[in-house]
Amino acid sequence: MRTPPSPPYIGTAGWSISSAAASHFPHAGSHLQRYAQVLGCVEINSSFYRPHQPATYARWAASVPDTFRFSVKLPRSITHERRLRDCAAELDRFAGEVMQLGNKLGCVLVQLPPSLRFEADVAAEFFNTLRQRFDGMLACEARHPSWFAAGATELLTMQGITRVRADPPAGQPGPHVPTTAVAYFRLHGSPRIYYSDYSTEYLAALATQLAQSAHPDSWCIFDNTAAGAALFNALELQCQLGGNSV
């Protein structure tokens, strides 16, 4: 199995390979096996909607090279239903599942609903509880303006939580303010969210930004998957950064 590129980690939300993109990937193996021979990471979004068996995570981990990394999205039962409150039991269940990825678990992604305001006490208790279960990278994509104020920035910085750099930047009233040295880009497509392709010029500027990042282990996830643009954008960005293609 071919070893995927080294960081920065570039990938897509999910590992489905469309017929249009199939020629860029090996023909043998499952979609995940084929994907992981070309790109270095993937974001699991299905975990947001439903739990997966520990054995499923273990099988996924066994399907990819040692250098490959997964980012796993926290369940909506925690972020959208319990709204970060009293969720220790749900976090225990989630941790018991995703820890089967072993050292291939690269990040846990927390995406918050647009209606969820920042409350310092609630956020501090939640991230403390989360950090007790995951000592690796944690990333937060908040979408209410209050999460971009000074208090939230201070808390995320103190807790070592990476503020997601999203496009379009929902809820963000001004320029992006990082909270850790490592970056996590989530590119949803603009102007049409989930559909729009990113131009070569945009990707070239992004490649320069990633190449100059203060931290080599930055992430860039393309979530513009609805019309199949994500894979092509990820492959082009990887090429801009000097990566190989199949």
Side-chain angles (χ1 to χ4, degrees):
M1 181 177 285
R2 178 175 178 265
T3 300
S6 58
Y9 295 109
I10 299 168
T12 63
W15 54 75
S16 179
I17 299 173
S18 66
S19 57
S23 64
H24 296 276
F25 297 86
H27 297 296
S30 68
H31 274 224
L32 176 57
Q33 289 172 322
R34 296 164 62 202
Y35 173 104
Q37 292 184 59
V38 178
L39 294 169
C41 73
V42 75
E43 188 180 272
I44 299 175
N45 280 305
S46 54
S47 55
F48 177 76
Y49 300 101
R50 63 186 184 278
H52 297 297
Q53 293 293 325
T56 299
Y57 284 106
R59 184 177 73 251
W60 289 340
S63 299
V64 299
D66 290 341
T67 56
F68 190 87
R69 294 293 180 266
F70 294 89
S71 176
V72 189
K73 194 172 182 180
L74 206 64
R76 62 180 174 182
S77 60
I78 296 170
T79 55
H80 289 54
E81 295 171 15
R82 290 194 174 272
R83 299 173 74 84
L84 310 185
R85 297 174 181 268
D86 303 320
C87 49
E90 284 82 0
L91 285 172
D92 284 339
R93 177 191 56 75
F94 178 71
E97 296 164 359
V98 302
M99 294 308 286
Q100 297 303 309
L101 291 173
N103 61 5
K104 294 172 186 175
L105 174 60
C107 182
V108 171
L109 172 67
V110 181
Q111 186 189 53
L112 303 178
S115 62
L116 185 62
R117 297 183 62 88
F118 175 73
E119 297 179 67
D121 292 345
V122 174
E125 181 177 356
F126 168 75
F127 283 118
N128 278 328
T129 305
L130 182 61
R131 181 58 80 189
Q132 289 168 10
R133 290 153 178 81
F134 300 99
D135 59 3
M137 182 177 176
L138 302 176
C140 178
E141 183 180 11
R143 293 179 288 174
H144 189 278
S146 60
W147 280 86
F148 298 92
T153 299
E154 181 180 3
L155 184 142
L156 293 174
T157 301
M158 289 179 61
Q159 296 271 10
I161 312 296
T162 297
R163 173 180 278 152
V164 167
R165 186 161 189 164
D167 181 72
Q172 183 176 313
H176 177 77
V177 177
T179 55
T180 66
V182 63
Y184 194 111
F185 288 84
R186 292 194 85 220
L187 306 180
H188 302 293
S190 181
R192 190 182 181 197
I193 193 169
Y194 305 130
Y195 285 86
S196 290
D197 194 9
Y198 287 99
S199 69
T200 295
E201 293 74 19
Y202 180 96
L203 296 174
L206 179 58
T208 298
Q209 189 171 1
L210 285 167
Q212 296 174 346
S213 172
H215 199 290
D217 294 335
S218 293
W219 288 65
C220 184
I221 296 294
F222 289 92
D223 190 32
N224 52 337
T225 57
L231 274 178
F232 289 102
N233 287 166
L235 291 168
E236 184 173 353
L237 178 62
Q238 182 168 281
C239 184
Q240 293 270 12
L241 285 163
N244 298 318
S245 59
V246 171

